[in-house]
Structure formats: C-alpha cells, structure tokens
Amino acid sequence: MMRNYTILLVFFLGSLQIFAQDSTSTFKKRVLEGTEIDFLGSYYSQDGNNAAVTGGLGTEKLTDAAPTVVVSIPINDDDVLTIDAGISAYTSASSSNIDPFDTNYADPFTASSGASSSDTWANVTGSYSHSNDDRNRIVSGKVSFSNEYDYTSIGFGGSYTWLFNEKNTEFTLHGNVYLDTWKIIYPYELRPYAQNRTFTYQNAASLGYAPAFRELTEKGRNSYSLGLNFSQILTERLQGSLLVDLVLQQGLLSTPFQRVYFQDFQDFFIDDFQLADDIEHLPDSRLKTAVGGRLNYYLNQTFVLRSYYRFYRDDWGIVSHTASLEVPVKLNDKFTVYPSYRYYQQSAADYFAPYNTHLSSEEYYTSDFDLSDFQANQYGIGINYTDIFTSLKIGSMGLKTIDLKYDYYQRDSGLHANIITFGLGFTEN
C-alpha cells in the first residue's frame, strides 16, 4: 500500500511541475519573496464529569501541549513548497481508566497510572502551490501522515482557486481524502471476552459479571471531504464569504475503549468502578454537511468587526449552530488586541443516552457527551504584533509577527477548558 502512495505522490508533484511550466519571461512579482518560518504552539487543559471512557460518568481531566513548525520555501517565482510538522503530547485522567485496576483503588473520578494515561501524536504535512502568471489561478496539493499509539492516518488533498473581477471575487474548490487505521484497544475488563475467556480479576465472572460484549469488525476509517469557498469584496469597507462543506466517513466510527452501561443489566462494581456492559457501537457511515458565511466590516482605522456563522447537519441526527464575533482594535501601527466570543449549540445524536440509561436491545449506543445536546460559550482575548519591516533580526531571518491568545471554553454540561495559543513568524530578508 505504501508503494502505491509513493507513486501517487510522485505523479502529483510531477503534475504540479507541468503547471509550473506556463511561466513566461515577462516580469512578475514572486509569490513568496523569501523563506518564511512560523513557530506555533498551544496549551489546552480541560476538566468535567462526563467521561466517555467510563460510560458518561467520570473525570474528563486532560492536558495537551502541541508545538508546530511551518516552513514555506519559494521554489521559483510561481511555486511554494510548505512543510508543516508538529507533535501533540497529552495526559488524560479519562483515558487512563481504560485500565482502572493498576492502582490501589478503582474509581471513575480518579486517574489511573497505566500506559493509556498519556500519548504523543505526531504529524507532518507537505503542500505545494503554483500560481499562474497573472496570479489569478492557484492550484495546490498536499500529502500528510500522522500517528499515535492506537491510530495512524494518511491523507491527500488539493485545491483550485480562481480570482476574477480585478481580484474582488475569489472562488476556491478543495477536497481531501484521509485513510485511517485503528489499533483496537478495549476496556480492560472486556479484553478476555474478545478471546472467549472470562474476567477473573477479584473473581468477577464467578460472582456474576456477564457483559453483553460485541466485538468490532473493522479497523479502518476513510474520510472524504469536498468544499467550496466564495469570497466577495462588497464595498470599500465590507467583505463577505460563503462556505459549503461535505464530509463522508466510512468504516470504524466507534471508539473501541468507550464503555456503555445498560439500565436493564445488573450493575457490577469492583471498588467504586462499574464494569462495562459493552462498548460504544455506532453506524459505519456518517454524512456531514455544513453551510456558513463570514462578514467583515472595516469600521475605521481603529476597529474592525469580524463575524461568522455556520449551520451543520449530519445523518446521525445532530444539528448545530455556531456564531462568533471578533473585534480587532488597532492600538498603533504594530500592536492589535482582539477580543472574541463564540457561541455553539447542538442537538443530540440519535444514538446518545447518558450513563446507565441505554437498553441492551438497541443496535447503536454511546454515552459520549460530545454527541449530546449542549450549548457552549467561548471567550477570548489576543494580542498581535506585526512589523512588516522586520526590524528585529536573528541571522538572516527577520521577526514579522508575534501572536498570543487566551480562550476560556465552557459547556452547560459542566465541561470547561483553558486554551493558550501563540505564534512567532519569521521571514527571510
């Protein structure tokens, strides 16, 4: 399979080189004057009491740190190669309870200390873009690879951008394919039943523990997305855009280690931890559609209003609305602060029910509160420094931008999170 991916990559880059050969000897400004390097990072911390790993009841405590570097290299006047590489290292009290019995006392609200309590996700993406001579056509493509302990993903994508009406109108068509493979990890107490054995810890099976465990039959998941963006400068102060996205997912869409408890089954505990009746089971196909728009208004030299709305629907029964407003305030020619607010509301998936309320007669079930009915608010404040003359230099690189932002996220289910993001942008002089 890897050989096929390599052939596709060589064919893809070769095709882009063919596009690159439309250059003429006439003068034109380079798409990218010099190499640019961006160092990005984020820190995320959350807590709550509805962990999906423990069937909708248990700690959701999680921290994640994710540094990323993005390098953009001009190949010639028209072409740019971009390499994006990052890692994400997290610790999770929730996922640590995939095996809750490696501590002295098992409890869904207490972190365990096993291997599943932390993991590292790594990703690298390479993209290549070509602009034609009048800069009104841009074709680009990318390949990506990401991996963590139980999950591997390979992706391909591309886009075509068309600018016209003296660049006041922009139209972009983009598509992506992701081919993912899971390593199946079941909750600790269910693993023996996948091998036609019983769970013998503290004599559980002999005392009456008998789950309704159904094994998963697939390990792969494929995702296909197609999107359209239309942007228009409406007046000197007003600019708007429309967005349409379609995503089809097929294969393993259940998470193998997320427990489900049935109300028509006897509850069975070891310490304060309830043993699973089964794992989450969801359909093997999901079609998502989203339509949205942006409207930006330049109020004056100090204030800009940036608004956004998106409507989402999928065939699992979820309907959601997202609205946000950001108000950049320019303090001087280099510093801008930008407070922001985001509101989100969604209905529950057809297959969701909270802790201990599903029935064993159902075909599909989950107690993952990400699929529940909830509302969320997110408040943010950021500050940006931009120096187009890059007066501060490190070697041949000049510092162009510094960006720092803090967000506070809160759901009405009790989940809350703190998010810090930052970025440093350098450009070659």
Side-chain angles (χ1 to χ4, degrees):
M1 181 176 290
M2 202 63 217
R3 180 174 179 273
N4 293 335
Y5 295 147
T6 303
I7 293 172
L8 284 172
L9 175 61
V10 171
F11 174 77
F12 169 74
L13 293 177
S15 300
L16 289 177
Q17 187 60 37
I18 292 173
F19 277 106
Q21 292 172 359
D22 69 349
S23 301
T24 68
S25 59
T26 58
F27 173 78
K28 53 189 175 185
K29 182 178 175 60
R30 291 170 67 90
V31 174
L32 187 65
E33 293 294 338
T35 298
E36 294 186 350
I37 303 176
D38 291 289
F39 297 97
L40 310 173
S42 67
Y43 174 80
Y44 176 88
S45 174
Q46 74 168 41
D47 204 354
N49 295 318
N50 299 114
V53 173
T54 42
L57 186 69
T59 178
E60 295 178 90
K61 192 171 185 179
L62 179 149
T63 60
D64 180 272
T68 300
V69 60
V70 181
V71 181
S72 298
I73 306 168
I75 304 301
N76 51 47
D77 289 350
D78 305 322
D79 300 337
V80 177
L81 173 66
T82 301
I83 305 296
D84 179 337
I87 61 172
S88 174
Y90 73 86
T91 60
S92 170
S94 172
S95 64
S96 75
N97 281 323
I98 295 173
D99 177 6
F101 306 111
D102 55 1
T103 56
N104 292 329
Y105 195 88
D107 185 316
F109 291 97
T110 303
S112 186
S113 58
S116 57
S117 63
S118 63
D119 198 359
T120 300
W121 172 88
N123 172 76
V124 60
T125 300
S127 59
Y128 195 97
S129 68
H130 169 73
S131 300
N132 73 341
D133 290 338
D134 62 12
R135 305 302 187 233
N136 286 329
R137 308 284 189 276
I138 304 169
V139 60
S140 67
K142 68 177 183 180
V143 293
S144 66
F145 175 79
S146 60
N147 183 69
E148 59 185 314
Y149 178 73
D150 63 339
Y151 195 82
T152 300
S153 177
I154 296 173
F156 306 91
S159 68
Y160 181 79
T161 299
W162 179 26
L163 296 95
F164 54 100
N165 190 22
E166 298 183 345
K167 299 187 187 299
N168 288 321
T169 306
E170 180 176 327
F171 177 86
T172 298
L173 172 66
H174 56 88
N176 292 285
V177 175
Y178 292 97
L179 310 175
D180 308 334
T181 303
W182 285 83
K183 178 181 179 180
I184 303 296
I185 299 175
Y186 294 122
Y188 182 76
E189 67 272 28
L190 294 179
R191 294 174 195 171
Y193 298 92
Q195 302 169 355
N196 296 317
R197 297 186 289 113
T198 57
F199 185 55
T200 58
Y201 184 69
Q202 294 196 12
N203 299 316
S206 62
L207 294 175
Y209 175 56
F213 176 54
R214 285 192 290 152
E215 276 202 78
L216 297 169
T217 57
E218 297 186 79
K219 293 184 178 180
R221 173 167 64 196
N222 298 338
S223 301
Y224 313 93
S225 68
L226 184 65
L228 295 172
N229 295 352
F230 175 77
S231 177
Q232 176 67 49
I233 297 176
L234 300 168
T235 69
E236 290 183 350
R237 294 175 179 267
L238 187 63
Q239 184 262 337
S241 61
L242 296 173
L243 322 166
V244 179
D245 289 293
L246 298 174
V247 177
L248 174 64
Q249 293 182 297
Q250 294 178 320
L252 176 55
L253 303 183
S254 307
T255 303
F257 49 75
Q258 295 189 170
R259 293 175 175 84
V260 168
Y261 301 109
F262 298 130
Q263 62 169 290
D264 55 340
F265 264 50
Q266 178 184 352
D267 297 342
F268 200 99
F269 289 85
I270 290 180
D271 300 332
D272 279 335
F273 195 93
Q274 184 175 347
L275 303 186
D277 293 329
D278 197 1
I279 59 169
E280 171 184 275
H281 283 277
L282 292 167
D284 60 4
S285 176
R286 189 179 187 184
L287 179 63
K288 307 175 182 181
T289 58
V291 179
R294 298 181 186 276
L295 202 60
N296 299 333
Y297 185 72
Y298 177 79
L299 197 61
N300 53 42
Q301 292 184 341
T302 303
F303 296 97
V304 178
L305 303 178
R306 295 176 179 167
S307 62
Y308 171 74
Y309 170 77
R310 187 185 78 150
F311 173 80
Y312 167 91
R313 178 190 292 274
D314 65 34
D315 58 0
W316 285 9
I318 290 180
V319 175
S320 74
H321 303 270
T322 306
S324 68
L325 179 65
E326 183 179 274
V327 186
V329 181
K330 196 172 182 60
L331 303 178
N332 54 42
D333 62 343
K334 291 184 179 177
F335 285 95
T336 301
V337 296
Y338 51 103
S340 63
Y341 169 72
R342 178 179 179 269
Y343 172 78
Y344 179 80
Q345 182 271 326
Q346 77 169 34
S347 61
D350 298 337
Y351 319 111
F352 172 81
Y355 166 76
N356 226 15
T357 55
H358 276 295
L359 295 173
S360 59
S361 57
E362 298 169 28
E363 181 179 8
Y364 300 116
Y365 31 77
T366 178
S367 294
D368 183 349
F369 271 67
D370 285 346
L371 301 177
S372 70
D373 179 355
F374 69 87
Q375 299 179 42
N377 295 280
Q378 182 168 321
Y379 310 90
I381 181 75
I383 185 166
N384 174 267
Y385 165 88
T386 300
D387 179 9
I388 60 174
F389 300 107
T390 62
S391 53
L392 179 60
K393 301 185 187 306
I394 300 177
S396 63
M397 306 298 291
L399 176 62
K400 188 175 181 179
T401 61
I402 303 175
D403 197 86
L404 178 65
K405 190 179 185 194
Y406 168 76
D407 285 278
Y408 178 72
Y409 173 85
Q410 186 172 38
R411 288 184 187 177
D412 58 2
S413 64
L415 177 70
H416 56 92
N418 295 285
I419 309 160
I420 299 172
T421 56
F422 70 91
L424 292 174
F426 293 88
T427 185
E428 186 179 33
N429 295 117

